[in-house]
Amino acid sequence: MADHIDFEVLAAYWLGDAPASEGEKIEEHVFACAHCARQLGWLAALSDGVHAAVRGGRVGLFVSRRFVEALAQAGLKLRQ
């Protein structure tokens, strides 16, 4: 990867949705490219912030019944 990694590819990598065969290439590039490392760092911080806001009950969501059941099984307290 000579150029910067597309934002969508970095997001898929961070979320675990990138093909396994691409993960090592992405990691090698991120370690060598300051721009992509900053982008991935920003994604990580955004992810942490969203996670904290949702877990802290500061965000209202509309979700499926299956999603609610999965959260309840994970031990989260939910308001419906």
Side-chain angles (χ1 to χ4, degrees):
M1 293 184 191
D3 296 325
H4 299 306
I5 299 172
D6 289 336
F7 183 79
E8 292 81 11
V9 173
L10 283 175
Y13 168 77
W14 183 252
L15 295 172
D17 292 336
S21 60
E22 293 294 311
E24 190 172 314
K25 289 185 219 174
I26 292 169
E27 288 173 5
E28 287 177 11
H29 179 87
V30 168
F31 283 121
C33 177
H35 172 80
C36 292
R38 280 191 305 276
Q39 289 283 74
L40 190 59
W42 182 84
L43 275 170
L46 176 63
S47 175
D48 290 346
V50 170
H51 187 257
V54 170
R55 286 190 73 99
R58 295 184 301 271
V59 177
L61 301 171
F62 291 94
V63 295
S64 69
R65 179 180 306 275
R66 188 168 51 163
F67 187 76
V68 170
E69 290 168 356
L71 293 176
Q73 288 177 356
L76 296 174
K77 295 180 182 177
L78 305 168
R79 286 183 277 180
Q80 297 182 36

